[in-house]
């Protein structure tokens, strides 16, 4: 019996216009009325997730930052936070400098970058969150540990450099890709799967009682964890291989249709 549903947001629950249909909202209300807990598990920071948290009227803990943070959406209290060590963060920022690519850090749920460049504006268009320009190297701005670091570059460079980054930080950092242009660095104890497992266990649920939906490479770990794991039709191949099932695309309300067909029409 499914007791917890967790879904990625962008290109999974959200359609390609980053909207949630009335049909999806209705299905999610109905499944929660049956006592099933529902949450999001997103790479977004909490600040850029709040518009959807409010739209969905979420009351169960939400997973953000690719699993680096869990937040109680009712109180705004952080229930879990696992940032990078400053030493590792400085090394990632030095790598960004060597590569000559855009980098951004997250301190106290605020996004910082050195200058507002094309990459910062692209990220703002995608997430709705504006960067704060530091006008000095981010390595000089780590007044507290950063929740994660994102390097933004051409998608071909991400694919080319990902193996190099993983080899360099093997055993020290979790490195994943959300959007093809985003290389994301987190504490080694963090990914969506690990944090979803932590949340489920804290609620007294087993993996078999969890249903998860995703589309991207950063969703693979939670698709591998959940007892019922579903990739949307528009998912990348890695996510489809990790999932046990495939549903309709994000533009066809795949998440809602799957929930309705498997949990509400039985």
């Amino acid at each position: 019996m499914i007791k917890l549903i967790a879904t990625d947001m962008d290109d999974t629950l959200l359609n390609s216009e980053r909207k949630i249909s009335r049909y999806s909202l209705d299905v999610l209300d109905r499944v929660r009325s049956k006592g099933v807990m529902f949450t999001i598990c997103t790479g977004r920071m909490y600040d850029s997730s709040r518009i959807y948290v409010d739209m969905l009227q979420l009351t169960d803990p939400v997973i953000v930052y690719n699993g680096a943070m869990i937040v109680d959406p009712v109180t705004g209290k952080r229930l879990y936070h696992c940032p990078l060590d400053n030493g590792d963060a400085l090394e990632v920022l030095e790598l960004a400098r060597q590569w000559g690519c855009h980098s951004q850090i997250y301190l106290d749920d605020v996004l910082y970058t050195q200058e507002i460049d094309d990459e910062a504006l692209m990220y703002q268009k995608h997430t709705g969150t504006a960067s704060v320009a530091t006008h000095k190297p981010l390595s000089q701005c780590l007044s507290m540990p950063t929740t994660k670091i994102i390097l933004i570059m051409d998608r071909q460079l991400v694919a080319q450099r990902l193996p190099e980054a993983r080899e360099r930080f093997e055993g020290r950092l979790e490195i994943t890709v959300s959007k093809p242009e985003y290389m994301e660095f987190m504490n080694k104890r963090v990914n969506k799967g690990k944090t979803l497992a932590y949340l489920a266990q804290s609620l007294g649920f087993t993996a078999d009682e969890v249903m998860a939906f995703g589309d991207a490479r950063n969703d693979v770990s939670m698709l591998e964890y959940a007892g019922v794991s579903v990739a949307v039709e528009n998912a990348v191949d890695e996510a489809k291989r990790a999932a046990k099932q495939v549903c309709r695309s994000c533009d066809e309300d795949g998440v809602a249709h799957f929930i309705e067909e498997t949990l509400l029409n039985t």
Side-chain angles (χ1 to χ4, degrees):
M1 177 180 175
I2 296 300
K3 296 182 179 178
L4 172 66
I5 299 171
T7 182
D8 171 58
M9 289 175 55
D10 294 283
D11 300 313
T12 302
L13 180 63
L14 307 185
N15 63 24
S16 54
E17 296 180 347
R18 293 185 288 280
K19 296 179 180 179
I20 306 174
S21 72
R22 171 48 56 187
Y23 166 71
S24 290
L25 291 172
D26 177 65
V27 168
L28 298 178
D29 282 343
R30 287 163 56 202
V31 78
R32 285 184 290 181
S33 73
K34 290 184 174 294
V36 179
M37 299 181 71
F38 178 84
T39 192
I40 56 172
C41 189
T42 177
R44 287 174 177 250
M45 59 195 295
Y46 185 61
D47 180 75
S48 68
S49 304
R50 283 167 57 188
I51 182 174
Y52 301 107
V53 168
D54 293 341
M55 186 185 304
L56 292 161
Q57 298 182 318
L58 297 182
T59 57
D60 298 318
V62 298
I63 298 171
V64 291
Y65 288 105
N66 278 325
M69 187 181 292
I70 301 176
V71 179
D72 180 338
V74 177
T75 65
K77 180 181 178 181
R78 294 176 191 173
L79 305 177
Y80 172 82
H81 187 207
C82 187
L84 281 76
D85 294 333
N86 270 5
D88 289 328
L90 288 171
E91 192 170 342
V92 173
L93 293 172
E94 172 58 20
L95 180 62
R97 188 194 68 78
Q98 293 172 10
W99 282 349
C101 67
H102 173 95
S103 58
Q104 52 195 46
I105 60 175
Y106 301 78
L107 307 178
D108 200 24
D109 207 39
V110 178
L111 168 61
Y112 295 90
T113 192
Q114 184 167 339
E115 304 294 343
I116 306 302
D117 53 16
D118 289 343
E119 288 80 7
L121 294 175
M122 176 183 73
Y123 189 84
Q124 180 177 350
K125 182 179 180 181
H126 172 232
T127 65
T129 299
S131 307
V132 176
T134 62
H135 304 301
K136 61 181 179 181
L138 295 180
S139 58
Q140 299 176 19
C141 303
L142 293 173
S143 56
M144 63 182 71
T146 177
T147 305
K148 71 174 182 178
I149 297 175
I150 294 184
L151 306 187
I152 302 179
M153 63 197 93
D154 182 86
R155 61 180 59 193
Q156 292 181 332
L157 287 175
V158 170
Q160 176 184 336
R161 291 170 170 171
L162 183 62
E164 175 187 345
R166 284 180 167 165
E167 181 179 359
R168 177 168 179 167
F169 293 102
E170 184 176 6
R172 291 194 289 147
L173 293 177
E174 176 77 16
I175 305 173
T176 191
V177 175
S178 50
K179 291 294 184 181
E181 299 84 5
Y182 301 167
M183 189 183 300
E184 309 202 9
F185 295 76
M186 286 84 62
N187 189 295
K188 67 180 180 181
R189 299 192 299 276
V190 164
N191 62 36
K192 287 189 178 185
K194 290 176 181 177
T195 305
L196 180 56
Y198 171 84
L199 176 61
Q201 289 164 11
S202 71
L203 296 169
F205 303 153
T206 66
D208 288 341
E209 295 171 316
V210 177
M211 177 183 288
F213 295 87
D215 78 291
R217 295 170 77 174
N218 63 327
D219 296 317
V220 167
S221 59
M222 74 167 175
L223 293 173
E224 291 175 337
Y225 161 75
V228 178
S229 57
V230 189
V232 286
E233 179 56 44
N234 53 287
V236 300
D237 289 342
E238 292 95 327
K240 288 182 176 178
R241 286 195 295 267
K244 297 176 178 67
Q245 300 185 61
V246 176
C247 67
R248 303 184 196 190
S249 75
C250 66
D251 287 325
E252 299 173 292
D253 295 312
V255 171
H257 277 290
F258 188 90
I259 291 171
E260 184 172 46
E261 291 163 8
T262 60
L263 299 182
L264 298 177
N265 289 344
T266 56

